[in-house]
């Protein structure tokens, strides 16, 4: 079956580094996405990985291992505004409808 | 350029009432999606559309209907609302096939069914 697992909640300190893990079991794989969602707001796109390795974008990096069904989102130099939920999503198929399977999200709490 | 907009932002319904949620995008995107988001669960796809005049069922389509008569609009209808449909509803769009990947989301509609 389809399953995406993320920790429910994490706490980190302002200025520190945090790693949010995502493991997936899906019938196919055609890319993994990370989205950020502040409370009461819509998700916004952070990153996309389709090949193994690390993708870096400013303070945020995302890593993918397809053989392990594993990804992580790395946030550096944490700021209070990074307090949000982080959603992991997998696109299964090669077809054109671009459906995503979503994890339940990890709520990240940043403390001063 | 407003992006993706949704109306209404909030709504309270009584069991059995009907309503339509409107999603509009001004980015000329081909694909549009309706999700619901419930506490402790991931976004779940209700229905989606890959172009004007086409719709398809997602993971949780029961109790909902959709229409895409114009490319820029995607309507979600609840014919007879039930308390289980209390949720936050998000609309999203994506430009089209590869290399486009980012889904753009509307601000959401918070629906309560009493």
């Amino acid at each position: 079956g389809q399953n995406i697992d993320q920790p429910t909640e994490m706490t980190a300190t302002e200025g520190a580094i945090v790693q949010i893990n995502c493991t997936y079991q899906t019938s196919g794989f055609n890319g993994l996405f990370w989205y950020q969602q502040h409370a009461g707001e819509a998700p916004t796109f952070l990153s996309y990985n389709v090949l193994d390795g690390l993708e870096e974008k400013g303070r945020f990096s995302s890593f993918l291992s397809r053989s392990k069904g594993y990804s992580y989102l790395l946030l550096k130099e944490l700021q209070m505004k990074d307090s949000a939920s982080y959603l992991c999503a997998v696109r299964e198929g090669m077809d054109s409808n671009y459906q995503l399977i979503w994890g339940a999200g990890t709520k990240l709490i940043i403390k001063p | 350029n407003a992006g993706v907009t949704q109306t209404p932002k909030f709504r309270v319904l009584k069991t059995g009432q009907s309503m339509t949620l409107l999603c509009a995008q001004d980015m000329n995107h081909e694909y549009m999606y309706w999700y619901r988001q419930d506490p402790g669960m991931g976004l779940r796809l209700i229905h989606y559309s890959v172009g004007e005049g086409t719709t398809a069922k997602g993971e949780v389509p029961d109790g909902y209907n959709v229409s895409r008569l114009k490319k820029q609009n995607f309507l979600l209808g609840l014919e007879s609302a039930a308390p289980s449909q209390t949720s936050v509803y998000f609309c999203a769009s994506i430009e089209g096939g590869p290399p486009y990947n980012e889904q753009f989301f509307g601000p959401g509609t918070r629906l309560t069914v009493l």
Side-chain angles (χ1 to χ4, degrees):
Chain A
Q2 305 166 338
N3 196 40
I4 297 181
D5 288 319
Q6 309 178 232
T8 302
E9 186 174 299
M10 299 181 70
T11 301
T13 303
E14 189 177 16
I17 299 173
V18 71
Q19 177 175 312
I20 302 174
N21 296 325
C22 171
T23 58
Y24 63 90
Q25 290 180 310
T26 54
S27 57
F29 182 84
N30 190 24
L32 186 141
F33 300 77
W34 285 96
Y35 281 75
Q36 181 189 59
Q37 185 177 26
H38 285 100
E41 298 183 8
T44 55
F45 174 80
L46 285 178
S47 68
Y48 168 70
N49 295 68
V50 67
L51 300 176
D52 292 350
L54 189 68
E55 294 281 342
E56 297 186 80
K57 191 184 296 185
R59 293 189 298 115
F60 293 6
S61 303
S62 56
F63 172 83
L64 175 68
S65 169
R66 288 173 296 171
S67 63
K68 295 182 179 179
Y70 168 69
S71 172
Y72 67 73
L73 181 69
L74 191 71
L75 291 74
K76 302 176 184 176
E77 301 170 15
L78 286 169
Q79 301 175 11
M80 297 303 292
K81 67 179 182 179
D82 297 330
S83 291
S85 289
Y86 292 86
L87 314 180
C88 174
V90 170
R91 185 168 65 211
E92 281 192 309
M94 296 293 288
D95 61 20
S96 61
N97 61 32
Y98 276 68
Q99 291 189 51
L100 300 181
I101 302 167
W102 296 81
T106 298
K107 182 178 181 180
L108 178 63
I109 300 168
I110 309 297
K111 295 186 174 180
Chain B
N1 191 340
V4 181
T5 58
Q6 292 181 232
T7 53
K9 288 186 171 52
F10 303 91
R11 186 73 186 267
V12 178
L13 290 178
K14 294 181 180 178
T15 297
Q17 288 184 317
S18 62
M19 77 165 293
T20 300
L21 283 68
L22 170 64
C23 175
Q25 51 94 4
D26 61 1
M27 298 175 285
N28 201 36
H29 285 179
E30 289 292 334
Y31 300 80
M32 297 186 74
Y33 307 84
W34 274 109
Y35 293 99
R36 59 178 290 171
Q37 188 175 40
D38 301 295
M41 302 182 72
L43 289 163
R44 291 185 291 169
L45 184 64
I46 304 171
H47 285 280
Y48 64 97
S49 168
V50 299
E52 181 179 319
T54 72
T55 62
K57 295 180 180 179
E59 179 187 356
V60 288
D62 293 343
Y64 306 94
N65 56 74
V66 288
S67 64
R68 187 134 180 239
L69 299 179
K70 294 183 179 180
K71 186 177 184 179
Q72 63 268 33
N73 295 338
F74 195 29
L75 278 64
L76 178 70
L78 286 73
E79 293 183 343
S80 179
S84 61
Q85 294 178 304
T86 293
S87 188
V88 180
Y89 292 86
F90 286 103
C91 175
S93 70
I94 189 170
E95 187 162 356
Y100 306 108
N101 294 304
E102 178 181 354
Q103 287 196 11
F104 292 84
F105 283 82
T109 295
R110 284 149 185 78
L111 175 67
T112 301
V113 183
L114 302 175

